[in-house]
Amino acid sequence: MSEPSDPNDQFDDIVDAETVRDPDLAVIEAGSRTLRTQGGPPPGDPVPGRPQDPELDKALREVETELSTRWGETKLEPSVTRIAALMDVLGDPQRAYPSIHITGTNGKTSTARMIEALLGAFELRTGRYTSPHVQTITERISLDGAPISAERFIETYQDVKPYVELVDAREEYRLSFFEVLTGMAYAAFADAPVDVAVVEVGMGGTWDATNVIDASVAVVTPIDLDHTDRLGGTTAEIAGEKSGIIKPGATVILAQQPVDAAQVLLKKAVETDATVAREGMEFGIVSREVAVGGQLLTLRGLGGEYDNVFLPLHGAYQAHNAAVALAAVEAFFGIGADHARTLDLDTIRTAFAQVASPGRLEIVRSSPTVLLDAAHNPHGARATAEGVSEAFGFSRLIGVVSTSGDKDARGLLEAFEPIFAEVVITANSNPRATDVDALAAIAVEVFGEDRVVVEPRLPDAIEAAITLAEEEAEYGGAGVLVTGSIFTVGDARLLLRRG
């Protein structure tokens, strides 16, 4: 009888076989099939695995295959013409419920999850649309705080498919992968039906496919340089694109911003007669202290203070996300405008205590501690580095890094250099991952040759990092941080499995 094959080898084989497909869908397929060979995710994991039923799994794979024939998320034609046409033939499902719309450079998904948790705690039925996903495509569309089932995902796709094909036939370009998923999310929310939708933009704002909603609350998380080839080379230019989600009469919740970005956003708010609430002015963090498993906060909302709020996430940036999320929910309920009061404190505490944000300083192993973080640009990397330094007393930290080819790899590595004793350069399963040799050359310039290890395969890179963390007994407090891309985190999560 032959020996069972190594799951790590299976992962590489699957990725090699899938490279002819859309890059995003290849990662979906490879990652999820690897997970299935390892027995599925552990109980309580907020990230779903593949369906256990082979027929259902086959049906979901067929939908993914059809979606893979469309433009991927890196190929864009900046307009909302096609998604507007799809909404029209679907009967404008996005107008069947109020919405909270979220843009920004970093922190969007974590903020969306917090807003969702808060609204759910007040017994509102929620729909959440976020991107990209950590492991499985169904993560992108959530109802009542949980990703929709594979069955519902397939049913929703089949429901909208005839309308998608109708729009495809009329337009110059077919609907893209992201546009179809956006249409599916809005249709699923209307069908549920939800009381409120929490929607994260894919990129930018003005011409993003999600921007066919008229959200009563527009949230702008911190803006920094990212996607500069599409959004602009300065934070002011990027803010101009992202300000497109601000609709007439809306309430705008602004996280702390660079001065030039804030000026652009405030100008847009004036032009649209929107009400503005600014972090550090109308709302913010009163106090924050590190606690076991997270942090303890006192937040100042639009209506007053909320004390002793436990947030089970690490890093100052997550506290700022919490302040933004709270203000957004208060604005949704009319606090600070129509009502001068606070929301129920116990409900707020309960909601925040239940928040999870997979792939954001997420602990997936102990002895040594292995963290996963999806930081993919210098701004996010600096926030992650500060969070690690504050929350974990590592005596020695080893980095495992793979980035996407269109990102500022040097800036990201420079942000991590002060906290990494050594860095292991590798590649994730996404065909758009930065070439290992090219990334290693940059790492040598940033860290010096003696602090750089190269392992082209992610499983080998993680093993090497753990070995480096454990190699000297005196480093009992050593750890490993796997980062650089959401794809890197997704792959590592599949290999290590949460918990």
Side-chain angles (χ1 to χ4, degrees):
M1 183 174 179
S2 61
E3 292 293 323
S5 58
D6 185 343
N8 295 339
D9 293 334
Q10 292 179 358
F11 187 86
D12 287 346
D13 292 342
I14 294 167
V15 171
D16 290 342
E18 296 291 343
T19 53
V20 297
R21 301 176 55 192
D22 175 86
D24 293 325
L25 271 298
V27 172
I28 293 167
E29 181 69 6
S32 53
R33 285 165 65 188
T34 302
L35 180 62
R36 190 165 63 252
T37 68
Q38 295 183 348
D45 194 333
V47 177
R50 296 295 298 193
Q52 294 299 307
D53 178 12
E55 291 303 313
L56 182 59
D57 186 57
K58 178 182 177 183
L60 179 59
R61 190 177 301 116
E62 288 172 353
V63 171
E64 292 172 341
T65 300
E66 289 187 24
L67 287 170
S68 74
T69 65
R70 299 181 175 275
W71 281 358
E73 290 171 282
T74 59
K75 187 172 183 179
L76 304 168
E77 193 278 317
S79 77
V80 293
T81 302
R82 292 176 303 281
I83 188 66
L86 179 59
M87 292 297 99
D88 183 57
V89 296
L90 286 173
D92 287 322
Q94 81 282 11
R95 304 197 189 285
Y97 39 80
S99 302
I100 297 175
H101 207 176
I102 307 169
T103 190
T105 301
N106 291 307
K108 295 188 295 295
T109 299
S110 292
T111 302
R113 285 179 172 274
M114 292 179 194
I115 291 173
E116 173 189 53
L118 288 165
L119 292 169
F122 285 100
E123 299 184 349
L124 292 181
R125 188 163 205 206
T126 58
R128 173 173 54 84
Y129 181 52
T130 53
S131 61
H133 53 273
V134 178
Q135 289 177 192
T136 307
I137 194 170
T138 55
E139 294 169 39
R140 296 183 179 226
I141 305 172
S142 289
L143 293 172
D144 297 321
I148 64 172
S149 65
E151 294 94 334
R152 192 158 195 166
F153 186 90
I154 295 164
E155 290 169 2
T156 302
Y157 176 75
Q158 296 300 338
D159 287 344
V160 305
K161 182 178 177 180
Y163 301 96
V164 168
E165 292 173 343
L166 181 64
V167 173
D168 284 343
R170 292 178 179 176
E171 298 295 326
E172 181 179 2
Y173 303 108
R174 297 171 70 213
L175 287 153
S176 69
F177 170 85
F178 187 72
E179 287 169 332
V180 174
L181 283 177
T182 302
M184 289 172 59
Y186 289 159
F189 296 162
D191 184 61
V194 302
D195 296 314
V196 55
V198 182
V199 179
E200 173 190 335
V201 303
M203 185 186 299
T206 301
W207 42 259
D208 187 73
T210 63
N211 201 29
V212 288
I213 53 175
D214 292 317
S216 60
V217 178
V219 176
V220 186
T221 65
I223 290 175
D224 208 277
L225 299 180
D226 200 8
H227 300 296
T228 54
D229 55 329
R230 298 181 177 91
L231 302 179
T234 67
T235 50
E237 291 174 338
I238 293 172
E241 289 295 335
K242 294 182 182 294
S243 71
I245 73 165
I246 300 174
K247 304 299 169 59
T251 299
V252 185
I253 306 299
L254 293 184
Q256 293 178 348
Q257 303 290 347
V259 173
D260 61 347
Q263 290 173 337
V264 171
L265 294 164
L266 291 171
K267 182 174 183 290
K268 177 71 171 185
V270 170
E271 292 171 351
T272 55
D273 195 29
T275 300
V276 176
R278 300 155 293 177
E279 184 182 6
M281 300 291 286
E282 286 76 26
F283 70 94
I285 301 170
V286 175
S287 66
R288 184 180 75 88
E289 59 183 277
V290 177
V292 176
Q295 49 197 310
L296 194 64
L297 311 174
T298 295
L299 301 175
R300 178 165 53 84
L302 304 179
E305 286 193 5
Y306 302 80
D307 62 359
N308 293 319
V309 175
F310 177 70
L311 181 68
L313 302 175
H314 302 288
Y317 67 97
Q318 293 289 20
H320 288 286
N321 290 340
V324 169
L326 176 59
V329 172
E330 285 184 309
F332 180 79
F333 285 125
I335 305 297
D338 301 330
H339 307 287
R341 60 179 175 83
T342 58
L343 297 172
D344 181 72
L345 178 58
D346 288 339
T347 303
I348 295 297
R349 288 172 175 166
T350 298
F352 274 123
Q354 297 174 347
V355 169
S357 192
R360 277 74 180 179
L361 282 183
E362 180 183 21
I363 300 173
V364 292
R365 171 179 164 156
S366 58
S367 299
T369 298
V370 177
L371 300 172
L372 305 181
D373 193 89
H376 57 275
N377 55 45
H379 181 264
R382 288 191 294 271
T384 296
E386 291 172 4
V388 170
S389 298
E390 175 187 78
F392 301 91
F394 292 129
S395 58
R396 176 181 173 87
L397 181 63
I398 310 300
V400 176
V401 177
S402 173
T403 63
S404 294
D406 60 342
K407 301 299 181 181
D408 181 2
R410 180 180 296 275
L412 182 139
L413 289 169
E414 287 174 345
F416 282 125
E417 189 277 333
I419 69 167
F420 285 167
E422 295 178 79
V423 62
V424 183
I425 299 301
T426 188
N428 58 52
S429 63
N430 183 359
R432 296 196 307 272
T434 306
D435 176 77
V436 173
D437 291 335
L439 185 59
I442 297 171
V444 167
E445 293 176 6
V446 173
F447 288 82
E449 188 172 356
D450 291 345
R451 294 169 63 196
V452 177
V453 176
V454 180
E455 288 288 355
R457 296 176 68 251
L458 182 61
D460 296 336
I462 294 173
E463 183 178 351
I466 290 173
T467 300
L468 286 169
E470 294 178 325
E471 64 181 3
E472 297 183 39
E474 64 188 282
Y475 293 121
V480 173
L481 174 62
V482 183
T483 188
S485 165
I486 190 71
F487 295 101
T488 307
V489 165
D491 292 350
R493 210 172 185 278
L494 292 173
L495 292 167
L496 294 166
R497 289 191 293 177
R498 191 166 175 268

